[in-house]
Amino acid sequence: MVHPLEQLRDDALREVDSALDEKALDAIRVRYLGRSGSISAWGEQMKTLAKDEKPVVGKLLNDVRSALTAAIEEHAQKFRAQKESGALSKIDISLPGTPSGYSGYSGYSGYPTPIGYSGYSRTTEGGASLHPLTQMLERSIEIFRRMGFALADGPDIEDEWHCFDALNTPPEHPARNEQDTFYLPDGRLLRTHTSTVQIRTMQSAPPPIRVIAPGAAYRRDEVDATHSAQFHQIEGLYVDENVSIADLKGTLEFFMRELFGADTAVQFRPHYFPFTEPSLEVYVKSKALKKGEQWIEVAGSGVVHPAVFEAVNKARSDNAYDPDKWTGFAFGLGMDRLAMILFDIPDIRLFAQNDLRFLRQFA
């Protein structure tokens, strides 16, 4: 007997196949995956099911959501490619290029800025300087680049599959609640972490891979001295044959000692994350820091859960990330938190207040 969810999947996939443009795809997305959509309604019904039914229906629900999300994304990419192809066909490549113009603060208002100029000066007297978060980001990227990590990027607006399902986060997980995550009317959301970029990287490239994904993340946190609705992360992913937890520890120990000083002590404590197993929280202490001998939590990490590889394989329609062959580790670092620790900043809100008295200390 066909389960209602399977029938719902088949109906939705038929609608996706017959969609004529992106507008029609968005309507399908809202109808099935939106907060009041048919598939989302099944997620709400999970709590009413019998205990023995929940695993079966939960798995089927994830499969249905994944299949529909993948189909919508595939067709959306096709429509975008058609649109871009049409736009490019209208460009007259025989026209001269646009000369380099003013692209940022150079100390001389209105004058053109040379190509390659970043728009900021670290040392100009009375001029601009890099924001402390940008300094922290550049410093961190430089350390990871020395270890062979490449930069990866992805959209701030994501779907539930990339943000939760592909990362082995079950439908009943509190992170998926509207009280914790910013959802859009069409069912998409502002990413709660940059782990979404790891999934997109694995979808687009086979192993081995070694990437870091810097960027903003968003959560419905009460704004106070240590919490903000928008914050910044660097998340890393390394997948290869025979990658072990020893590789993870070596990588993060090197990073922490390059960042905080050679005498920095690094400690790993067991924790739980749905997308890694085993999972570890990372703590440091260093005499160079104001808190001295106190252990400070700075990162989350772990060995990539096989379920994550299986979800990626399903989206790719192959077995490129065979969990019996490939292993990997992942980690997440909060740039705001690291900057607060390194620069001894007492309040996260200072990063966004644009107070010159604060910013000039980093010039």
Side-chain angles (χ1 to χ4, degrees):
M1 182 177 178
V2 177
H3 192 278
L5 269 173
E6 294 176 307
Q7 184 62 51
L8 189 65
R9 176 199 60 202
D10 295 342
D11 293 343
L13 292 176
R14 277 193 292 270
E15 289 187 37
V16 170
D17 287 338
S18 61
L20 299 177
D21 52 32
E22 287 185 284
K23 186 176 180 180
L25 271 184
D26 280 337
I28 296 168
R29 188 200 304 273
V30 172
R31 186 157 60 252
Y32 288 98
L33 298 174
R35 297 309 298 167
S36 301
S38 305
I39 293 176
S40 300
W42 271 92
E44 293 296 321
Q45 294 177 31
M46 286 289 294
K47 56 190 174 185
T48 66
L49 297 177
K51 187 176 181 179
D52 59 335
E53 289 184 285
K54 285 184 178 180
V56 177
V57 177
K59 182 180 184 304
L60 181 57
L61 179 61
N62 284 338
D63 291 345
V64 171
R65 186 187 284 113
S66 299
L68 182 56
T69 300
I72 290 175
E73 181 64 24
E74 180 184 345
H75 281 69
Q77 288 179 0
K78 181 180 70 174
F79 290 136
R80 285 194 292 269
Q82 292 172 350
K83 185 185 295 184
E84 289 171 5
S85 177
L88 289 172
S89 67
K90 299 176 183 178
I91 296 176
D92 186 350
I93 60 174
S94 66
L95 292 174
T98 304
S100 172
Y102 180 73
S103 63
Y105 183 91
S106 64
Y108 300 94
S109 178
Y111 283 85
T113 305
I115 292 174
Y117 184 71
S118 65
Y120 299 91
S121 168
R122 285 184 173 85
T123 58
T124 302
E125 181 68 27
S129 64
L130 287 176
H131 190 280
L133 283 178
T134 305
Q135 293 183 34
M136 186 75 253
L137 187 66
E138 289 193 350
R139 190 167 175 178
S140 300
I141 290 173
E142 187 270 334
I143 296 171
F144 282 119
R145 291 297 292 268
R146 281 157 52 196
M147 289 188 280
F149 283 86
L151 284 173
D153 193 17
D156 286 28
I157 297 177
E158 271 291 4
D159 53 64
E160 283 194 303
W161 187 84
H162 284 94
C163 200
F164 298 125
D165 295 319
L167 290 161
N168 198 37
T169 305
E172 64 273 13
H173 195 281
R176 304 182 72 147
N177 195 291
E178 289 184 347
Q179 277 67 50
D180 290 325
T181 299
F182 292 101
Y183 281 93
L184 304 181
D186 64 358
R188 292 180 297 167
L189 50 92
L190 297 181
R191 65 185 182 191
T192 59
H193 43 205
T194 58
S195 301
T196 55
V197 182
Q198 300 175 10
I199 299 299
R200 290 186 176 275
T201 300
M202 287 190 284
Q203 282 183 273
S204 61
I209 57 172
R210 189 196 302 246
V211 296
I212 52 171
Y218 312 84
R219 295 177 191 170
R220 286 185 180 270
D221 281 339
E222 291 291 333
V223 178
D224 57 26
T226 57
H227 297 85
S228 176
Q230 177 183 327
F231 53 98
H232 304 82
Q233 292 184 324
I234 284 184
E235 299 219 9
L237 175 69
Y238 176 35
V239 179
D240 205 335
E241 295 184 66
N242 302 315
V243 174
S244 71
I245 201 165
D247 300 302
L248 166 64
K249 293 176 69 176
T251 298
L252 292 182
E253 284 175 356
F254 178 83
F255 173 82
M256 298 304 171
R257 287 170 183 149
E258 288 295 298
L259 186 66
F260 295 119
D263 66 339
T264 301
V266 184
Q267 185 179 87
F268 295 85
R269 302 180 186 176
H271 195 66
Y272 169 76
F273 300 110
F275 32 81
T276 53
E277 179 59 37
S279 303
L280 302 168
E281 282 190 331
V282 187
Y283 289 74
V284 299
K285 68 176 179 180
S286 172
K287 293 178 181 178
L289 302 176
K290 186 174 181 181
K291 293 189 177 182
E293 294 302 307
Q294 180 179 341
W295 287 105
I296 307 170
E297 187 266 318
V298 292
S301 64
V303 174
V304 179
H305 198 294
V308 174
F309 287 152
E310 290 167 0
V312 170
N313 286 337
K314 190 166 185 178
R316 290 172 54 95
S317 300
D318 61 21
N319 198 35
Y321 286 85
D322 182 354
D324 292 328
K325 179 180 179 182
W326 303 98
T327 54
F329 65 72
F331 57 83
L333 301 159
M335 292 294 98
D336 311 68
R337 178 162 176 76
L338 289 179
M340 291 176 73
I341 294 169
L342 189 64
F343 301 137
D344 190 28
I345 297 171
D347 195 320
I348 196 173
R349 291 169 289 196
L350 288 168
F351 291 132
Q353 289 175 349
N354 207 28
D355 188 330
L356 290 178
R357 295 170 299 179
F358 169 71
L359 296 175
R360 280 175 180 152
Q361 298 177 58
F362 304 92

